[in-house]
């Protein structure tokens, strides 16, 4: 079965410091992987996606993620956090061989302090 | 750029009532998905449609039904509402085919509260 595990339920950083949100996936096939962000009382916004092209994927707002097959990881990083980055982040997998549903991780809450 | 539109944005119902949520996909997107996000939970897939036919089914209760219309908008009908149905309901759309390789773009959600 396909799944994603977000290793941290809550990450706290100071403004201007790097961000690392960790995600491991499990998939029998070559998956599509995504990071979505959800600000309080808002919808889900796509940050970036991996679909078997370049392993280093650049997204919006300075975020990027690296697909590492050997480690089954897809960690999200940003060099310098901004106050506006405070939100809930979801790592998501879509198993290409098994329907259309996205499978979400449990989410990581990112807090940014000044 | 046009986004997915959901209406209403907020809905309050009593137990055992019915509710209808509407979703208008991004223009030229032919696939629609519904997700349910309970309080403090991750979104769970309910059902999807491609070209007005159901294409995939997740953990959708039998009390719920959905359809996609000729203009590609979709409606989620919920009957005999229970307290546990209180959640944020997201609709997403994707542009091509059955959605296996296309990104899903989410609407702002409808917050349903059942009293």
């Amino acid at each position: 079965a396909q799944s994603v595990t977000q290793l941290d339920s809550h990450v706290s950083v100071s403004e201007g410091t790097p961000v690392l949100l960790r995600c491991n996936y499990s998939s029998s096939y070559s998956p599509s992987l995504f990071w979505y962000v959800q600000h309080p009382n808002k919808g889900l916004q796509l940050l970036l996606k991996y679909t078997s092209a370049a392993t280093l994927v650049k997204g919006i707002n300075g975020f990027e993620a690296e697909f590492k097959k050997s480690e089954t990881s897809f960690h999200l990083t940003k060099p310098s956090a901004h106050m506006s980055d405070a939100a809930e982040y979801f790592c998501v997998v879509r198993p290409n061989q098994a329907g259309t549903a996205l499978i979400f991780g449990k989410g990581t809450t990112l807090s940014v302090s000044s | 750029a046009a986004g997915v539109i959901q209406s209403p944005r907020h809905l309050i119902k009593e137990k055992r009532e019915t509710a209808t949520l509407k979703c208008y996909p991004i223009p030229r997107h032919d696939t629609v998905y519904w997700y349910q996000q309970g309080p403090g939970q991750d979104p769970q897939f309910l059902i999807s449609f491609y070209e007005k036919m159901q294409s995939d089914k997740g953990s959708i209760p039998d009390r719920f039904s959905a359809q996609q219309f000729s203009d590609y908008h979709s409606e989620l009908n919920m009957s005999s509402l229970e307290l546990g149905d209180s959640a944020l309901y997201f609709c997403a759309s994707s542009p091509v085919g059955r959605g296996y390789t296309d990104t899903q773009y989410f609407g702002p959600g409808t917050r349903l509260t059942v009293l």
Side-chain angles (χ1 to χ4, degrees):
Chain A
Q2 289 74 27
S3 66
V4 286
T5 302
Q6 292 185 241
L7 301 174
D8 307 289
S9 60
H10 198 155
V11 170
S12 296
V13 300
S14 299
E15 191 174 24
T17 64
V19 175
L20 170 64
L21 305 184
R22 299 181 295 166
C23 172
N24 286 108
Y25 70 91
S26 171
S27 177
S28 302
Y29 305 97
S30 180
S32 295
L33 292 161
F34 307 81
W35 278 97
Y36 283 85
V37 61
Q38 185 177 29
H39 288 90
N41 300 312
K42 299 290 187 181
L44 292 157
Q45 182 183 19
L46 177 69
L47 275 179
L48 50 80
K49 65 178 180 179
Y50 166 78
T51 54
S52 76
T55 56
L56 182 61
V57 181
K58 293 188 182 298
I60 62 171
N61 300 334
F63 284 95
E64 63 181 36
E66 185 172 8
F67 175 75
K68 292 187 176 180
K69 187 174 182 179
S70 61
E71 299 176 9
T72 61
S73 69
F74 190 57
H75 301 336
L76 181 70
T77 61
K78 182 174 181 177
S80 176
H82 191 272
M83 295 294 285
S84 61
D85 294 328
E88 188 80 10
Y89 291 79
F90 291 99
C91 182
V92 180
V93 64
R94 183 183 56 231
N96 286 329
Q97 304 291 330
T100 60
L102 296 181
I103 299 171
F104 284 74
K106 295 301 182 184
T108 297
T109 302
L110 176 64
S111 300
V112 182
S113 59
S114 57
Chain B
V4 176
I5 297 172
Q6 292 187 246
S7 67
R9 294 292 308 279
H10 302 272
L11 190 58
I12 300 175
K13 291 287 186 179
E14 300 278 344
K15 281 194 305 183
R16 293 179 288 279
E17 287 190 321
T18 61
T20 297
L21 309 186
K22 297 184 179 182
C23 169
Y24 298 86
I26 294 171
R28 292 180 295 282
H29 284 199
D30 56 9
T31 308
V32 171
Y33 316 78
W34 287 97
Y35 292 83
Q36 178 192 57
Q37 184 180 28
Q41 303 295 314
D42 54 293
Q44 296 291 317
F45 173 72
L46 293 178
I47 195 167
S48 62
F49 292 87
Y50 163 65
E51 284 291 345
K52 292 151 282 185
M53 299 289 289
Q54 180 182 307
S55 58
D56 203 359
K57 190 173 182 180
S59 52
I60 184 169
D62 292 340
R63 300 178 288 107
F64 294 6
S65 64
Q67 58 182 323
Q68 185 180 32
F69 295 85
S70 57
D71 63 351
Y72 296 108
H73 94 272
S74 177
E75 296 183 4
L76 178 65
N77 299 293
M78 311 160 69
S79 63
S80 302
L81 287 169
E82 301 173 356
L83 295 178
D85 296 328
S86 296
L88 190 56
Y89 291 83
F90 286 111
C91 173
S93 71
S94 65
V96 178
R98 305 185 70 82
Y100 290 125
T101 58
D102 293 304
T103 301
Q104 295 181 23
Y105 296 90
F106 284 78
T110 293
R111 184 168 297 281
L112 172 66
T113 302
V114 181
L115 302 175

